[in-house]
Structures are given as C-alpha cells and as structure tokens.
C-alpha cells in the first residue's frame, strides 16, 4: 500500500497531463489497483473482467501515460514514478507559496484553484463585445435562468465570447468549469469528469467504478444544488445534426437531451452557458426565462478596426479593408484569414479581391462547413440568392422555390439565415453574404462544367 502519496492526487495529475483526453472508468480501476499493488489477474477476478481485457487496457494505458509524460512508464515503474512526480510538484508548490507575501495574493491563489479551464482559449487579446457581455451578465443574474446558448455562424467568435464572459464573472460562482464537446465524449464520460472536478475542488471523496447514468446525473444535479457552479460547454454542435428540417441530437448522443432537460428544469443555483454553431430545436420548448439564446453576429465596425489594428495603414487602405470586412460580415475568423493574406491583394477593386479570396482553401473550407449545418430549405434559399443579381423579396423567393413552401416556413428560415449573418436584409429585400455569393457562383460554374464534360 502507498500511504505517503494520496492516489487522488495521482489521478488529478494524470487528468491534467492527458487532457483533453480522459481516463475511462476501467482505466481508472486498473490504475487504482496497480497503485494498491494488485496483479492483473486478481483485478480481473475481483471486478469480473476477462484477464486478457484487463491486460489490453493496461497496455494502452501505459502507452498513453508514456507519451503524455514523455517518459517510459509501465506497470513496474508506475508507482515510484508517480511518487517522485508528486513530491516534486509539492516541493514546487511550497516554494511558490512561500513566495507569496501578502494575504491578498494568497486568496487570489485560492480563487484560481476553483476554476477549471481545461482547453479554454487564451483571451488576452479579446476586443469589443461590450453590449453582448452586458446582456449575458444581465441574463445570468436572473435566478430563473439555467441555460444560455450563444449560437451563430462558424468563426463568429462564440468560444471567445463565452470564455471571456466566464472569466469576467467567475467571482460570482463557487466554481467555473470549462469543457468542450469537440471530441464528442459520451454523456457518462462528461458527467464523470464534472463530478471528479467538483469533488476535487471540494476535497470530497470520489465515488468511482462503473455506475449507472441516472446515478451520475442525479449526483451531478445535486452538486449544482449544493454549489453555485458556472458550466461553460463549448462546441455543443458536435453532438447535434441538421436533418431535413430541424436540428436534433445525433442518435448516439440522444441522452444529452436528458442532461439539458435536467439542468434546465430542476431547481438549483448553477448556470450552463454553451457555444454552438447550431441550436437544438428542443430548446424552443422551455420558457424564455429558463433558456436564453444569443444569436451572435460578427464584430461592429469599431471592433473590426481595433481587431485588424489598422493604425499603421493609410486612410485609403483602411477604407478598403473596412469595405472588405463588410463583405465578410465582420466575421473574426474570416477577418483573420484575410489579414494573413493581405500581401496578395494589390487590386483596388473589392469585387475582384472577393473573387480571389473565395479561391483560398481556408475560406472555402470554412464556407463549406457552414453550409453543412443548414437544412435543405435553407440551402435552397442560399443557392437562389447566390444566382440572383439583385436583392429579392420574400414573394419572389417563394416563387422560385421548387417545393412550394408555406409562407410561414419560408419566412422562418429566412429569419434564421439572417440571424446567422448569411443573409442581409435591406428593407423587404434579401441578399446573400458577399463572400458566400462569390464562392457559390464559382462552385456552380465548376459543377456545370464538370457535368458537361461527363456527358
Ligand atoms: N472578441 C474577440 N476578440 C479578439 N479575437 C477574437 C474575438 N472573437 C473571436 N476572435 C478570434 O477569432 C477567431 C474565431 O473565434 P472563435 O473561435 O471564438 O469563434 P467560434 O464562433 O467559436 O468558431 P467555431 O464556430 O469554429 O467554434 C479566433 O481566432 C479568436 O481568437
Ligand atoms: Mg468555437
């Protein structure tokens, strides 16, 4: 038995080191029991596993740990290696703590311990978004509000905004936990991780081993009642899909609907804020106090100026860049790509630059991804707008559409596309985001030529 170093500290160190991947419950059992000096065959017997299976789990585990710690780790040296690592860390921590002179700094240290930012992006260069942050703050102060979803076009700045917001208000919460669904963890894995983090932060014992989802969920909701937790969940779209008409959960992630439902409709003092390219239809079924949705657009002009750092450019270049930014709907991700290719644009003509831009692979990849989140009807609308020369009205649009859609469905879709910044509304006329228009026209011509050469 290892009494000098606590196994939970070992687990916590491993979690941090292998993040953003996680240990699954079986891997955790193996580690715990190796730590306790058990053999694989005894483990297999105790937990009713096939001995070969335990061996494979072990083998993979040592590989993961070896590459994460950049050192050869195996069953034989795991315990001494970890003991050494932890004692080095403790020594480091003590010497760092000794360096803290004033009381205020050491409380600050405690504060930092109560946040878990995992793979949250750095927001040191965050600009603008004052009104959005003000709105999010006011929603978060409403005690009925359980869930906020920031939704919008790819690259419009959702992750940056929710992260900055969470950093701004972290002091109003006992804990802040930032997580991304980018790697599509199962709900069980996600809950396991949440519980582990919360229990670590509260120094409680961790209940481990394979457990029922319903048990994990109720224990998790219990934590949200006992503590005021701000959960930041990024890339919600990873577990969603757009069907012909609606957005729903992917089949294998269906249980996430239960997760959201529990957070939204039970009584607790915590808040979930999520960033997502698309939003599940089911959110519409809750009251507007419980669930708030922010349809995030691109930057305003002032923020674009600050973001692009235009001070060193001539007034003419500045005007040109700002004109170009408008054709990108001031989408920060697109602006970044353009900023990296400024040297290749010698032309004065915005239209020509737009044509050149739509040829860039970075841009076409991004626009194709954006299209993949749209419903059939939304795509059809987008294509009609792409080939139309002038802005068109809803009536004209409805005449074009092949399947005659009820007017209400059509105007709903047009509305959604406008909120996504893909469509621009001017009086009662609609046009397509210019960069998307250039891209799609080129794509249509290419497809036409290809199909011609096939015949
Ligand atoms: N307010 C901001 N200040 C500074 N940089 C920003 C801001 N918003 C976004 N960015 C930058 O723009 C890029 C895209 O932003 P972000 O990743 O937040 O977008 P997103 O909407 O989450 O994208 P995706 O749909 O791919 O998840 C990032 O490089 C980010 O640093
Ligand atoms: Mg994001």
């Amino acid at each position: 038995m290892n009494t000098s170093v606590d196994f939970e500290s070992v687990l916590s160190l491993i979690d941090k080191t292998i993040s953003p991947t996680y240990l699954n419950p079986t891997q955790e059992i193996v580690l715990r029991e190796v730590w306790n000096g058990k053999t694989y065959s005894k483990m297999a017997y105790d937990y009713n596993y096939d001995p070969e299976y335990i061996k494979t789990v072990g083998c993979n585990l040592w590989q993961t740990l070896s590459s994460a710690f950049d050192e050869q780790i195996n069953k034989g040296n795991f315990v001494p290696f970890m003991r050494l690592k932890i004692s080095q860390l403790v020594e480091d921590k003590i010497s760092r703590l000794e360096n803290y002179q004033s009381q205020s700094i050491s409380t600050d240290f405690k504060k930092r311990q109560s946040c878990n930012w995992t793979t949250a992006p750095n927001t040191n260069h965050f600009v603008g978004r004052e009104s959005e942050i003000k709105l999010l703050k006011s929603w978060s102060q409403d005690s009925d509000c359980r869930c906020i979803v920031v939704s919008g076009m790819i690259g419009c700045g959702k992750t940056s905004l929710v992260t900055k917001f969470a950093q701004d208000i972290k002091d109003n919460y006992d804990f802040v936990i930032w997580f991304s669904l980018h790697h599509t963890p199962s709900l069980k894995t996600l809950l396991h991780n949440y519980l582990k983090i919360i229990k670590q932060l509260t120094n409680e014992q961790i209940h481990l081993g394979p457990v029922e989802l319903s048990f994990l969920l109720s224990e998790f909701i219990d934590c949200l009642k006992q503590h005021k937790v701000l959960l930041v969940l990024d890339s919600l779209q990873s577990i969603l899909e757009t069907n012909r008409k609606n957005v729903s959960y992917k089949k294998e992630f269906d249980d996430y609907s239960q997760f959201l439902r529990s957070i939204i409709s039970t009584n607790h003092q915590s808040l979930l804020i999520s960033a997502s390219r698309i939003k599940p239809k089911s959110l519409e079924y809750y009251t507007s106090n419980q669930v708030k949705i922010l349809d995030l657009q691109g930057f305003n002009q002032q923020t674009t100026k600050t973001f692009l750092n235009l001070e060193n450019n001539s007034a003419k270049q500045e005007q040109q860049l700002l004109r170009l930014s408008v054709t990108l709907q001031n989408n920060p991700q697109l602006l970044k790509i353009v900023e990296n290719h400024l040297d290749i644009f010698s032309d004065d003509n915005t239209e020509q630059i737009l044509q050149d831009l739509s040829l860039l692979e970075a841009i076409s990849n991004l626009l194709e991804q954006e299209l993949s989140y749209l419903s059939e009807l939304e795509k059809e609308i987008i294509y009609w707008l792409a080939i139309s020369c002038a802005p068109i009205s809803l009536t004209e649009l409805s005449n074009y559409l092949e399947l005659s859609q009820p007017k209400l469905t059509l105007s709903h879709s047009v509305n959604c596309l406008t909120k996504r910044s893909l469509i621009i509304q001017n009086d009662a006329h609609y046009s397509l985001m210019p960069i998307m228009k250039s891209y799609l026209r080129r794509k249509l011509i290419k497809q036409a030529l290809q199909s011609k050469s096939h015949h």
Side-chain angles (χ1 to χ4, degrees):
M1 281 284 275
N2 287 280
T3 43
S4 54
V5 174
D6 167 24
F7 179 68
E8 305 312 331
S9 343
V10 173
L11 263 190
S12 143
L13 174 63
I14 293 176
D15 282 338
K16 276 187 200 130
T17 314
I18 65 173
S19 165
T21 51
Y22 332 95
L23 293 174
N24 64 34
T26 333
Q27 289 176 318
E28 236 173 76
I29 291 176
V30 171
L31 280 185
R32 183 177 292 275
E33 296 301 8
V34 167
W35 184 257
N36 290 333
K38 234 182 233 179
T39 60
Y40 284 154
S41 47
K42 180 86 174 60
M43 264 178 247
Y45 179 80
D46 287 351
Y47 287 88
N48 203 10
Y49 277 125
D50 176 16
E52 280 309 308
Y53 172 65
I54 290 285
K55 233 187 241 169
T56 321
V57 172
C59 209
N60 291 335
L61 196 53
W62 306 133
Q63 271 177 13
T64 310
L65 294 186
S66 301
S67 73
F69 284 94
D70 206 15
E71 206 143 335
Q72 208 50 47
I73 302 176
N74 52 43
K75 190 162 175 282
N77 71 1
F78 170 67
V79 174
F81 174 82
M82 280 299 160
R83 238 196 259 138
L84 187 68
K85 266 269 170 236
I86 298 272
S87 66
Q88 278 169 353
L89 272 180
V90 171
E91 272 168 29
D92 267 11
K93 220 178 206 168
I94 290 174
S95 70
R96 247 188 301 139
L97 265 180
E98 281 169 356
N99 285 337
Y100 281 108
Q101 300 280 321
S102 70
Q103 186 65 26
S104 67
I105 296 180
S106 77
T107 35
D108 190 45
F109 180 74
K110 253 199 227 143
K111 272 247 139 59
R112 235 180 301 146
Q113 299 273 334
S114 56
C115 296
N116 193 311
W117 296 104
T118 52
T119 52
N122 170 340
T123 53
N124 289 349
H125 302 290
F126 187 88
V127 290
R129 302 297 198 190
E130 293 83 4
S131 59
E132 285 88 349
I133 290 190
K134 202 168 149 205
L135 183 63
L136 292 177
K137 277 187 185 155
S138 76
W139 285 345
S140 70
Q141 280 155 4
D142 179 349
S143 61
D144 286 335
C145 180
R146 302 267 182 279
C147 170
I148 299 177
V149 177
V150 175
S151 164
M153 179 197 287
I154 185 168
C156 70
K158 303 174 289 293
T159 305
S160 307
L161 177 65
V162 296
T163 307
K164 180 72 168 95
F165 166 70
Q167 285 168 350
D168 282 3
I169 62 159
K170 64 177 189 303
D171 290 346
N172 301 345
Y173 291 84
D174 297 332
F175 310 123
V176 179
I177 306 175
W178 195 104
F179 236 91
S180 168
L181 292 182
H182 181 74
H183 294 286
T184 54
S186 71
L187 180 57
K188 256 188 166 179
T189 310
L190 181 77
L191 290 175
H192 231 273
N193 276 282
Y194 274 146
L195 284 170
K196 210 155 64 187
I197 291 169
I198 294 173
K199 305 257 155 155
Q200 268 164 13
L201 292 170
T202 54
N203 286 325
E204 283 172 65
Q205 273 297 311
I206 304 170
H207 182 104
L208 281 167
V211 269
E212 287 282 316
L213 179 61
S214 57
F215 174 84
L216 284 173
L217 194 56
S218 72
E219 183 138 337
F220 170 68
I221 296 290
D222 240 24
C223 287
L224 302 188
K225 288 180 183 169
Q226 282 172 29
H227 312 284
K228 196 171 178 205
V229 189
L230 177 63
L231 301 163
V232 186
L233 197 55
D234 191 35
S235 295
L236 185 70
Q237 78 273 351
S238 311
I239 55 156
L240 302 174
E241 67 186 355
T242 310
N243 326 331
R244 262 191 61 78
K245 278 187 173 161
N246 287 328
V247 173
S248 57
Y249 297 88
K250 285 182 186 163
K251 216 173 169 128
E252 62 272 39
F253 297 107
D254 205 31
D255 46 12
Y256 269 89
S257 67
Q258 197 191 342
F259 167 74
L260 277 188
R261 191 175 342 113
S262 307
I263 291 186
I264 295 170
S265 34
T266 57
N267 232 340
H268 56 76
Q269 42 172 343
S270 304
L271 174 69
L272 170 78
I273 178 161
S274 190
S276 186
R277 292 179 188 162
I278 43 178
K279 46 202 176 203
K281 170 111 179 120
S282 58
L283 288 186
E284 291 173 12
Y285 304 141
Y286 298 98
T287 71
S288 63
N289 275 2
Q290 292 171 308
V291 177
K292 295 282 184 194
I293 298 198
L294 173 62
D295 292 295
L296 188 66
Q297 314 260 330
F299 289 150
N300 60 29
Q301 201 187 49
Q302 187 50 48
T303 307
T304 300
K305 269 190 198 171
T306 323
F307 183 70
L308 290 177
N309 200 359
L310 291 174
E311 275 128 42
N312 300 330
N313 296 61
S314 69
K316 191 174 159 221
Q317 281 170 325
E318 179 177 321
Q319 280 314 311
Q320 190 186 16
L321 260 173
L322 287 178
R323 260 202 314 278
L324 191 61
S325 305
V326 173
T327 67
L328 310 171
Q329 294 278 54
N330 296 297
N331 175 301
Q333 187 70 68
L334 290 170
L335 289 175
K336 257 195 174 167
I337 300 174
V338 170
E339 204 182 14
N340 288 333
H341 290 86
L342 279 184
D343 47 331
I344 60 170
F345 304 121
S346 51
D347 211 306
D348 264 356
N349 178 345
T350 307
E351 184 58 36
Q352 184 57 48
I353 298 180
L354 212 52
Q355 293 283 338
D356 293 344
L357 268 182
S358 65
L359 283 173
L360 289 178
E361 201 178 311
I363 301 248
S364 57
N365 280 344
L366 211 123
L367 296 179
E368 273 301 328
Q369 270 199 69
E370 174 63 20
L371 287 172
S372 74
Y373 288 109
L374 304 184
S375 70
E376 293 300 313
L377 176 59
E378 286 170 336
K379 268 185 217 154
E380 203 179 336
I381 296 171
I382 292 283
Y383 275 99
W384 276 111
L385 289 176
I387 57 171
S388 141
C389 291
I392 50 182
S393 70
L394 216 51
T395 320
E396 285 170 296
L397 196 56
S398 116
N399 291 340
Y400 288 144
L401 292 178
E402 202 174 308
L403 318 156
S404 69
Q405 295 284 344
K407 199 94 190 218
L408 203 63
T409 322
L410 175 62
S411 80
H412 176 77
S413 298
V414 168
N415 219 334
C416 289
L417 291 168
T418 315
K419 282 185 188 160
R420 283 191 85 73
S421 322
L422 277 171
I423 288 188
I424 302 155
Q425 183 185 0
N426 219 330
D427 296 327
H429 286 74
Y430 299 89
S431 55
L432 190 57
M433 176 188 191
I435 183 77
M436 184 62 103
K437 187 165 178 166
S438 290
Y439 169 71
L440 282 184
R441 286 186 156 206
R442 192 179 289 277
K443 180 174 158 180
L444 286 171
I445 292 175
K446 217 158 128 190
Q447 279 173 352
L449 290 176
Q450 266 168 5
S451 73
K452 197 173 162 208
S453 68
H454 283 148
H455 284 128

